[in-house]
Amino acid sequence: MLTISDRFSLLKMDWLTKAGQSLLPPGHWAGPSQSEVLVDGDNKTLYLTFDDGPFPETTETLLEILEREEVLATFFLIGEHVSRYPELAERVSRGGHAIGSHSNKHFLLPALSANALEKDLRSANAAIEDATGQTPKLFRPPYGIIDNRSAQCLKDLEMEIVYWGSVPEDWQAVGTNRVVERVSSSMQNGKLIVLHEGKHIAEQTILATQEIIARAKKRGFKFGIISPSASL
Ligand SMILES: [Zn+2]
């Protein structure tokens, strides 16, 4: 059941996502919900994504849960965290999950100088390449905020911006139940669900992931990973 604060959170995040979408330069947004391009003809697929990792407090346990449940997810990793915990990034890759970049230092991209922006994006890619042997083609903007210049820079690096469809504000310690209820209320075919890794929300993220997978399976959903569009 959704509480009033859940409803407020969902409305707010929906509005912010739409606002972000309207600011995003043309050609970089895959559609109103982005789900259209991800639905592969088969129905009832959800896309589980984790931002901000890797972290020792979350990544390993998440990988164990995903393996046990036979679910693949997409991890948007922060370059600096990958440099600190390369073995965790490698384990994500070895588990068959998709890996995207979430920048190197989680700065607000429009606030960076052109040089700093390019350096940040390249450093993140280098860290991910060193740890996993793969070059990320997907990018999730820190705070969901991107401008023309950052979008062009990503295009030059042949990277694709990935937004979201279901965002339960789980970077705050709102409690496992709140995260699960918010995500459950928006489970629809093609939805991209964003969850966050982090020390202060480790238990919430782990328990919510378990419960979200259980509920989704009960409702007949399967999970997919995000792959770059064929045009890249
Ligand atoms: Zn983030």
Side-chain angles (χ1 to χ4, degrees), residues 51-53 76 78 102-103 106 140-144 164 171 194 196-197:
D51 282 7
D52 294 353
F76 289 94
I78 294 177
H102 192 38
S103 84
H106 211 277
R140 176 164 279 152
Y143 315 103
W164 46 64
W171 53 87
V194 189
H196 288 77
E197 296 196 61

Side-chain angles (χ1 to χ4, degrees), residues 53-56 58-60 63 75-100 124-134 136 197:
F55 276 110
T58 44
T59 310
E60 231 159 317
L63 290 173
F75 287 76
F76 289 94
L77 304 178
I78 294 177
E80 274 202 334
H81 297 181
V82 173
S83 301
R84 210 171 301 150
Y85 310 112
E87 70 289 350
L88 289 178
E90 202 273 328
R91 281 198 59 186
V92 174
S93 168
R94 202 154 18 104
H97 305 285
I99 292 181
N125 285 6
I128 293 170
E129 270 167 35
D130 282 351
T132 69
Q134 56 172 294
E197 296 196 61

Side-chain angles (χ1 to χ4, degrees), residues 29-215:
W29 179 259
S33 66
Q34 201 169 40
S35 56
E36 286 132 18
V37 292
L38 295 166
V39 176
D40 55 4
D42 201 302
N43 52 24
K44 302 202 87 171
T45 303
L46 298 173
Y47 297 83
L48 204 48
T49 68
F50 296 97
D51 282 7
D52 294 353
F55 276 110
E57 289 81 359
T58 44
T59 310
E60 231 159 317
T61 313
L62 288 174
L63 290 173
E64 281 163 20
I65 294 168
L66 295 171
E67 189 177 355
R68 193 171 61 233
E69 297 290 339
E70 298 183 354
V71 165
L72 289 176
T74 305
F75 287 76
F76 289 94
L77 304 178
I78 294 177
E80 274 202 334
H81 297 181
V82 173
S83 301
R84 210 171 301 150
Y85 310 112
E87 70 289 350
L88 289 178
E90 202 273 328
R91 281 198 59 186
V92 174
S93 168
R94 202 154 18 104
H97 305 285
I99 292 181
S101 164
H102 192 38
S103 84
N104 198 47
K105 293 182 184 239
H106 211 277
F107 287 139
L108 189 64
L109 300 185
L112 295 177
S113 71
N115 279 346
L117 170 70
E118 193 182 337
K119 192 171 167 230
D120 183 276
L121 300 179
R122 286 190 185 278
S123 302
N125 285 6
I128 293 170
E129 270 167 35
D130 282 351
T132 69
Q134 56 172 294
T135 310
K137 291 284 170 203
L138 303 172
F139 184 83
R140 176 164 279 152
Y143 315 103
I145 296 174
I146 197 135
D147 58 357
N148 264 302
R149 193 190 51 168
S150 330
Q152 187 55 51
C153 196
L154 287 160
K155 207 170 189 178
D156 293 343
L157 292 168
E158 300 186 325
M159 297 178 78
E160 193 172 349
I161 300 161
V162 179
Y163 256 67
W164 46 64
S166 174
V167 50
E169 276 198 288
D170 67 316
W171 53 87
Q172 297 172 23
V174 293
T176 303
N177 285 345
R178 306 282 35 97
V179 175
V180 173
E181 294 295 339
R182 290 173 188 182
V183 171
S184 294
S185 73
S186 60
M187 271 182 198
Q188 287 161 13
N189 187 24
K191 251 330 171 207
L192 264 89
I193 300 164
V194 189
L195 296 175
H196 288 77
E197 296 196 61
K199 278 181 204 166
H200 67 296
I201 48 164
E203 195 184 334
Q204 173 181 287
T205 300
I206 288 163
L207 295 175
T209 299
Q210 261 170 333
E211 185 60 23
I212 287 165
I213 292 173
R215 287 202 190 183

